[in-house]
Amino acid sequence: AYTPFYFLATLAKMGRMHAPGHGISRSSAPYVRSAPGWLKNLYTGDDVKDQIYKLAKKGLTPSKIGVRLRDSKGIANVSALTGNKILRILKAKGLAPNLPEDLYHLIKKAVSVRKHMEKNRRDKDAKFRLILIESRIHRLARYYKKAQVLPPTFRYQSATASTLVS
């Protein structure tokens, strides 16, 4: 049977990887893909790229760069002004991080949970959560190796993980 909200019905079947929820709540991008006129008058694509390079050299990640540009400069959508996303701009200049951001944060979380486990040996819940986090790391690493973002020799090891995120 046809429902006008068919896309909602299909999305509701998907679930979270390590959680019971089937939530479909999310934000949506604006309908208009071009930058507003007032923003085009303030900044050119090259101005925005220069600001991105400057922030990347300070050590900010692509998502932090986007937040900084949105909050301080009013640039909500970099690709509307430059034609490229922040990570692509950084890759073209050779300033992209060597680990993908989502994998980096998962490894960072695993390192902090493992550090907690050293102090609190009897914390069984933390042990279980660590197993879930590390399975997500392995799954994501497998994807990035297949997509050739990571080298095929990359291997997550808990002993050397703290050096990856330091």
Side-chain angles (χ1 to χ4, degrees):
Y2 174 77
T3 60
F5 300 106
Y6 174 73
F7 68 97
L8 290 176
T10 57
L11 287 175
K13 291 176 185 170
M14 291 191 300
R16 299 285 166 261
M17 195 182 302
H18 295 128
H22 295 281
I24 57 169
S25 177
R26 60 177 188 246
S27 62
S28 59
Y31 180 71
V32 180
R33 289 217 163 93
S34 61
W38 62 268
L39 193 60
K40 286 180 189 172
N41 293 337
L42 283 176
Y43 304 108
T44 64
D46 293 331
D47 294 340
V48 176
K49 285 181 182 180
D50 290 337
Q51 290 172 1
I52 290 171
Y53 300 146
K54 207 179 292 182
L55 292 170
K57 285 175 184 169
K58 283 184 183 176
L60 270 68
T61 60
S63 62
K64 295 273 188 201
I65 291 171
V67 168
R68 182 78 60 93
L69 289 175
R70 183 197 66 201
D71 293 346
S72 64
K73 307 285 184 191
I75 302 169
N77 191 357
V78 169
S79 62
L81 284 171
T82 62
N84 270 325
K85 298 177 180 182
I86 295 173
L87 187 60
R88 288 185 185 156
I89 292 168
L90 292 176
K91 277 183 183 173
K93 190 76 169 179
L95 294 171
N98 52 1
L99 266 182
E101 206 171 342
D102 50 358
L103 184 63
Y104 172 84
H105 287 295
L106 276 175
I107 292 173
K108 193 174 175 183
K109 187 186 283 192
V111 167
S112 70
V113 171
R114 196 167 285 281
K115 187 177 173 186
H116 166 81
M117 289 284 296
E118 287 172 9
K119 288 183 216 159
N120 306 286
R121 289 261 182 229
R122 295 175 62 209
D123 192 347
K124 300 294 183 198
D125 187 58
K127 184 178 180 182
F128 175 71
R129 297 297 161 196
L130 180 64
I131 292 167
L132 296 183
I133 292 166
E134 288 186 341
S135 69
R136 271 180 285 187
I137 290 169
H138 291 301
R139 180 182 288 198
L140 204 53
R142 189 170 62 233
Y143 164 76
Y144 280 130
K145 281 194 262 187
K146 192 184 285 186
Q148 297 178 343
V149 175
L150 288 175
T153 57
F154 177 84
R155 194 162 165 79
Y156 171 78
Q157 292 158 335
S158 57
T160 58
S162 58
T163 59
L164 289 173
V165 294
S166 60

